[in-house]
Amino acid sequence: MQRQATAESSTRTTQLRIRDGLLVVSGYGVRINVDRGHLTVADGFPDERRTLRLSRGTARLKRLVLLGHSGTISLEAMRWLHDVGAALVQIDADGVLITVSAPAGQDDPRLRRAQAIAPFNGVGLALARELIRLKVERQWELLDRLPVEATTLPELPMVLSDVERASTVPALRLTEAHAAKAYWAAWTPVSVRFAKIDLPRIPEHWGRAGARVSAISGSPRKATNPANAILNYLYAILEAETRIALLTVGLDPGLGVLHADLTARDSLALDVMEAVRPEADAVALDLLQRRTFSRHEFYEMPDGTCRLVAPLPQQLAVAVPRLRRAVAPVAELVARRLAESPTPTVGSSPHANPMVVRPARLTLPTPLTQSNRRAALDAVRVQPPPKPRSRPLANNSACLACGQVIAGHHTYCDECRAEHNEQSAQQFGAAAVERLRARRAVGEDPTATPQARAKQGRTNSANRAAEAAWDRLHPDKLDAAAFVVEILPALQARSAHALSRATGLSVGYCSRIKRGELVPHPRHWDPFRQGWSSIAQATDDLQQDFADSVVQV
């Protein structure tokens, strides 16, 4: 009993948070159930558990994303989520989408009938062509951020022309494959930055995006490097959002127009995803270009597959609202195109032809984008509607030197930052001295020009006049040993820049004073002797100026 009490007391409990209607649950022993009408959620690890208790009226929950496969969820909890209109998404640790449970949306059989016959009446080809056109256009917009020469890529109008000329779905797939080959070739040199201490410990091919096709599976599945593992995880999130969007607008995710019908595959969801994949690519590219990773954030399986390690999957799940907003207009576009297509309808009388082609003439709501509602409000709107904001993805980064994961988008942790700044200052100083020596060797001394000589003369004259005036007001000579004994030891705790701001002396002069090479004139002793008040005030003023500038921006 004593051991059990000690173990329980060592467990730290924090609270889960809902942001943008999103709740991400992960870890071991996940428990989701209903207690006295409230949804209770618990996740985390043995030494750190997270909990949350939600009420139906104030939850404002849109997505419950469950990462992993360890835990339990009750039937009553699933009913609770259905009642409040929240969707449940489960993604396994290897990035495979396991299940999506979403409330039913519009239910119109005429729309589903139009969807079922679209591959056979030309509507499916036109719709597939439009989705591929959107995909190619967005991919080529993203190429500006990739390290590739424009001369190595086909022109966008030529690619779009090939898309328009495709007369069959197989021909359209072939055209899209050629465009995708050029697009992913531009991704190959994208670098993945790891901490310096981790470089000898990671596989060499982890350092860049490489080929999109895995050497293990012969397809994008089972990625063998971090970049493609991140892309696969984002695509799983996008697939879940696409399924939910199609169900909301009243379409069947399984009846596609571009992807072939296969057992246990949502072909229409994959079709719609094609137009939105560049958005997930942009999320991954933002992450790769901004973050430094630690080797502890990835794990190489025995077969060579690269798998993400917590908390990176939770950070990627933050992209759910952004991907949801990207897929919403495309899903409604597909529903609108199908609703506008001619469909066979049952005759109104027993003698009528039961397969007469008539326009469906469906008036579709826009539950995803609310565009119908916004169009009605635009007529009376005084100010433009606010633009949606996206939270930054993965607000953590690994220290470039030691690999420790730190909060915020910092390059180095506190300990390594001081060492890095010192090394940079030394390298900069040595480079400056070498540059000055090289210029002097060819007769270009920047300190010997007439302008520099005149400036030095004015500065020296002003300093001599100030020293003479101070000596007349203070006839008692101060001993230089007093500065060395009383003031110099305290200078070691401050940087040369702080001393320069407090005294008005140059940074190089203050550096020589700190090293004991020089003793300044007594007129400069007061800022050092006054208990560092002026230095502290100068530092506070600098920090306040920086904070004010950030607020203004």
Side-chain angles (χ1 to χ4, degrees), residues 478-480 482-483 487 519-529:
L478 296 179
D479 188 5
F483 179 87
I487 300 177
V519 175
H521 190 271
R523 70 189 181 96
H524 296 299
W525 291 12
D526 286 343
F528 303 122
R529 181 177 289 153

Side-chain angles (χ1 to χ4, degrees), residues 133-214:
R133 182 171 61 250
L134 289 174
K135 176 184 180 180
V136 172
E137 289 175 349
R138 295 175 180 179
Q139 284 180 335
W140 254 245
E141 292 175 0
L142 199 60
L143 288 176
D144 295 335
R145 300 174 51 191
L146 296 174
V148 63
E149 297 182 3
T151 56
T152 62
L153 295 172
E155 295 291 337
L156 177 60
M158 181 176 64
V159 178
L160 296 180
S161 177
D162 293 340
V163 172
E164 295 299 331
R165 285 200 304 266
S167 58
T168 62
V169 171
L172 185 60
R173 293 197 198 105
L174 183 61
T175 302
E176 189 273 335
H178 291 159
K181 182 179 180 180
Y183 171 74
W184 288 115
W187 271 80
T188 302
V190 173
S191 60
V192 182
R193 186 170 55 178
F194 281 91
K196 296 177 181 178
I197 196 174
D198 292 335
L199 293 180
R201 311 178 186 181
I202 63 173
E204 183 179 357
H205 63 277
W206 281 20
R208 61 174 190 163
R212 181 70 183 116
V213 177
S214 170

